[in-house]
Amino acid sequence: MSDASRMPASAPVRQRVDAHLNTLVHDVDGLMGVVVASLDGFALAQIGREEDTVSRLAAMSSSMLALAEALGRELAIGPLGALILEAAHGKVLMLTVPVQPPQLLMVACDQTSAMGQVLWHAKQCARRLAATLPPDATTP
């Protein structure tokens, strides 16, 4: 976990969040890291990356998500569901976790990952996280 002070103090909630992230990593080949972040760019939970890298990824993901949401509003296509980035050596998927305040699930994977599989499992993970996280999940 990174920035543990921003996650709920309840140990069972932390354990369930970690379990959901571990399930995602276990079920999908080629995942390099998974991060749950607040929309303001703070990493709340992580699997598979160094803590300072995760903090930077959370901040960048938050900025990209805000840009994607602005694009969605401008094009009048509705609220953002997912943002997928593909690069030469990997892919990144970002989903909103429907809790209040909203959270962000970011999944980094290598080129061996099938994006359909990543998307399906990440959506399942986001639903489980939404059922697990209490209201106002970022309060200390």
Side-chain angles (χ1 to χ4, degrees), residues 68-92:
E69 286 183 345
L71 182 62
R73 279 191 308 274
E74 186 66 28
L75 294 173
I77 58 175
L80 177 71
L83 177 63
I84 299 172
L85 302 172
E86 188 169 354
H89 303 291
K91 305 165 195 163
V92 177

Side-chain angles (χ1 to χ4, degrees), residues 50-136:
E50 297 82 29
E51 192 167 325
D52 73 333
T53 301
V54 168
S55 295
R56 291 192 317 272
L57 289 174
M60 288 184 277
S61 295
S62 173
S63 297
M64 288 189 297
L65 186 64
L67 181 60
E69 286 183 345
L71 182 62
R73 279 191 308 274
E74 186 66 28
L75 294 173
I77 58 175
L80 177 71
L83 177 63
I84 299 172
L85 302 172
E86 188 169 354
H89 303 291
K91 305 165 195 163
V92 177
L93 169 67
M94 289 174 268
L95 298 170
T96 53
V97 178
V99 293
Q100 287 302 320
Q103 305 295 314
L104 172 67
L105 176 64
M106 192 274 301
V107 180
C109 49
D110 63 24
Q111 286 296 83
T112 65
S113 297
M115 268 329 273
Q117 182 185 32
V118 174
L119 181 60
W120 190 86
H121 284 284
K123 284 184 176 184
Q124 296 300 315
C125 183
R127 286 186 194 103
R128 288 190 296 267
L129 288 169
T132 298
L133 292 170
D136 199 19

